[in-house]
Amino acid sequence: MNESVEALILSQSDYRDHDVLIRVMTQEYGILGFIAAGARKMTSKNAGSILPYTKAEIQFDYKEGKTLFRLKTARTRELWRSMHEDLGRSSAAAVAAELCLGMADESGASTREEYRYLDTAFRKINEGMNPVTVLALYMSDLMKLFGIEPDVDECVRCGETTVHAISVKDGGFLCAQHAEEAGVHPSSVTELRRFRLLVKGGLDQIEIIEKAGGAKPSDLEILAEMLKLHAGLELRSFAFFKRFCAIE
Ligand SMILES: [Zn+2]
């Protein structure tokens, strides 16, 4: 049946002959793959409308149970031009897209939320918001959606509410005693408060959070480490992005 969906384009790769394979996020079906026939030819009418980190309206024949389809036509809905013209911002978009691909819910129960988060992340990066804050809040939103957000209300190990450190391994805050036992470097009160705000907040509160100082590269690094350890998600694009915000 002929169907039209709004899709956030996550990746593009060469396929057979002159074809291109794209992977997209949709509200209705989650992640889908499309083969754009002849998209590598100069004469292709779809080639300009399937660029990664843009939003397109895609027409195709939907069949239940399938996740790979032949693309009929694609039309750009959002180009997010300033995101693409800046290398720092476009590398942040690559991280966001990879996060979406890696965290996508197979059951499809929350695809609407996942779509909305990524759509918001792209829009905020394009608007010139600090990409470090955008990515930190996007990670925070996804972690909450999948129930793996860090515990930032008390010591993960004993429940003590006076906390001293953030432990990637424990997935949250530790009290002084347990931080020492675990050999985790203590954080300042400012760092702990800022991290808590990022975990409790989300992209919907980005304006307020950015006004309060936003995220620092070290916060993003901790969240990425937690995703790697607790969700098995290794972000290949993260190293490239880090070069642009001087995370060391
Ligand atoms: Zn403790």
Side-chain angles (χ1 to χ4, degrees), residues 1-25:
M1 209 180 78
N2 194 34
E3 178 121 11
S4 175
V5 286
E6 209 179 73
L8 300 169
I9 300 167
L10 306 174
S11 70
Q12 187 187 102
S13 52
D14 291 348
Y15 203 62
R16 283 185 295 240
D17 304 322
H18 295 283
D19 300 352
V20 162
L21 171 69
I22 59 167
R23 299 186 76 194
V24 310
M25 180 72 199

Side-chain angles (χ1 to χ4, degrees), residues 108-142:
S110 50
T111 54
R112 215 158 264 281
E113 284 296 277
E114 287 173 64
Y115 181 94
R116 190 174 70 82
Y117 292 153
L118 184 61
D119 192 27
T120 308
F122 281 163
R123 191 158 39 83
K124 294 297 173 189
I125 294 170
N126 188 62
E127 283 171 8
M129 281 273 175
N130 178 5
V132 172
T133 307
V134 176
L135 287 179
L137 291 173
Y138 179 50
M139 284 181 188
S140 169
D141 276 331
L142 284 176

Side-chain angles (χ1 to χ4, degrees), residues 155 157-160 174-175 178:
C155 171
R157 296 194 186 182
C158 72
E160 168 62 49
L174 291 180
C175 67
H178 284 123

Side-chain angles (χ1 to χ4, degrees), residues 55-128:
K55 186 195 285 186
E57 191 185 315
I58 292 175
Q59 290 198 315
F60 68 111
D61 283 324
Y62 181 72
K63 267 198 197 83
E64 212 175 321
K66 276 183 70 180
T67 52
L68 186 64
F69 301 93
R70 189 152 280 274
L71 180 145
K72 284 183 175 171
T73 60
R75 233 179 29 215
T76 301
R77 283 272 176 243
E78 298 277 358
L79 196 54
W80 291 307
R81 192 181 291 275
S82 69
M83 181 168 80
H84 290 265
E85 283 170 351
D86 179 281
L87 207 49
R89 288 187 203 171
S90 62
S91 65
V95 176
E98 199 184 345
L99 268 162
C100 183
L101 270 171
M103 296 284 285
D105 181 8
E106 301 290 315
S107 72
S110 50
T111 54
R112 215 158 264 281
E113 284 296 277
E114 287 173 64
Y115 181 94
R116 190 174 70 82
Y117 292 153
L118 184 61
D119 192 27
T120 308
F122 281 163
R123 191 158 39 83
K124 294 297 173 189
I125 294 170
N126 188 62
E127 283 171 8

Side-chain angles (χ1 to χ4, degrees), residues 143-178:
M143 286 168 122
K144 283 195 283 290
L145 189 65
F146 290 95
I148 55 163
E149 73 272 29
D151 184 351
V152 289
D153 289 319
E154 55 192 23
C155 171
V156 179
R157 296 194 186 182
C158 72
E160 168 62 49
T161 51
T162 307
V163 290
H164 280 255
I166 310 166
S167 166
V168 168
K169 195 163 166 247
D170 290 272
F173 286 169
L174 291 180
C175 67
Q177 188 202 327
H178 284 123

